Amino acid sequence: MAGGHTVGVIATTPEPPYVAVIFTSIRATAGGEPYDEEGYVETAERMEALARERPGYLGIESARNPGGLGITVSYWATERDAIAWKGVAEHLVAQRLGRERWYAQYRTRVASVAREYGT
Amino acid sequence: MAGGHTVGVIATTPEPPYVAVIFTSIRATAGGEPYDEEGYVETAERMEALARERPGYLGIESARNPGGLGITVSYWATERDAIAWKGVAEHLVAQRLGRERWYAQYRTRVASVAREYGT
């Protein structure tokens, strides 16, 4: 997942256990502005739409501080589902563009959710 | 953790396994603006400072879409450390204020990080 801005709601996930992929990133900039913002947003939205169609997809949440850190968390039924999504051809292209073009720094963490609570 | 805006870097975490607490929230609003922003920011910064002093604290990352979804992820050595932080008296007060005052909706997920990669 390249990291999208379009998601404004808290994901409705089932009873744990399930898998969370936590993607934290800092955008590359040019002249103080995010580099290639248009291409980035287009790809992020496309990846989000693609992810939703994948087996085991449970939801996604995304937030970014203006000009700063971004966090995207995607939720999957199993780690196998998350790994399969990472290997989808069009997603691999987006990941490469992310590394080479859009992100100054990023970190992906794959985690197993054991408990959840809230409103 | 009430959710802070002050953290602008990707957390430097050790080799997995460790624990991630994913806190996703939507702020309550009044007249289209976040309700009690001043009190919220002050408490969030205080909680962040308190968390840093706790045993097992590994790092924190936080992002919020302007006027929208926020995600704060705190990292802990063990689930016991994360649970202990949840039970700290001053933090309990902040959690109550969050539920009653600052958040229209929130969700907390406790997860075990198995793998991490990135730049």
Side-chain angles (χ1 to χ4, degrees):
Chain A
M1 184 62 211
H5 291 83
T6 58
V7 188
V9 298
I10 296 177
T12 303
T13 39
E15 283 289 300
Y18 54 85
V19 169
V21 179
I22 307 164
F23 178 77
T24 311
S25 66
I26 294 172
R27 291 286 306 278
T29 54
E33 294 299 313
Y35 179 72
D36 184 28
E37 177 72 2
E38 193 178 337
Y40 172 76
V41 169
E42 187 181 324
T43 301
E45 288 174 356
R46 169 72 179 146
M47 289 305 112
E48 209 170 285
L50 261 188
R52 286 180 197 282
E53 294 169 8
R54 295 287 312 172
Y57 172 88
L58 298 179
I60 195 165
E61 295 164 345
S62 196
R64 182 173 297 278
N65 294 328
L69 193 78
I71 304 173
T72 295
V73 189
S74 60
Y75 300 101
W76 301 89
T78 68
E79 185 163 347
R80 178 179 298 195
D81 295 326
I83 291 169
W85 163 235
K86 190 176 190 302
V88 168
E90 198 176 336
H91 189 203
L92 286 169
V93 173
Q95 289 169 62
R96 184 172 55 74
L97 287 170
R99 283 192 303 271
E100 294 177 357
R101 180 182 295 218
W102 293 317
Y103 298 122
Q105 195 190 351
Y106 72 91
R107 199 93 199 139
T108 303
R109 296 175 172 99
V110 182
S112 175
V113 177
R115 295 183 291 122
E116 101 167 64
Y117 46 92
T119 50
Chain B
M1 183 63 212
H5 291 83
T6 60
V7 187
V9 299
I10 296 178
T12 305
T13 39
E15 282 290 300
Y18 55 86
V19 170
V21 179
I22 307 164
F23 178 78
T24 310
S25 65
I26 294 171
R27 290 286 306 278
T29 54
E33 294 299 314
Y35 180 71
D36 184 27
E37 176 73 2
E38 192 178 338
Y40 172 76
V41 169
E42 187 181 324
T43 301
E45 289 175 355
R46 169 72 180 147
M47 289 307 110
E48 208 170 286
L50 261 186
R52 286 180 198 283
E53 295 169 6
R54 294 287 313 172
Y57 171 88
L58 298 178
I60 195 164
E61 295 165 344
S62 196
R64 183 174 296 278
N65 294 327
L69 193 78
I71 304 174
T72 296
V73 189
S74 61
Y75 300 101
W76 301 88
T78 68
E79 186 164 348
R80 178 179 298 194
D81 295 326
I83 291 169
W85 163 236
K86 189 175 190 303
V88 168
E90 199 175 335
H91 189 203
L92 287 170
V93 173
Q95 290 169 61
R96 183 171 55 74
L97 287 169
R99 285 192 303 272
E100 295 178 356
R101 179 182 296 213
W102 292 316
Y103 298 121
Q105 196 190 352
Y106 72 91
R107 199 94 201 139
T108 303
R109 296 174 172 101
V110 182
S112 174
V113 177
R115 296 182 292 120
E116 100 167 64
Y117 46 92
T119 49

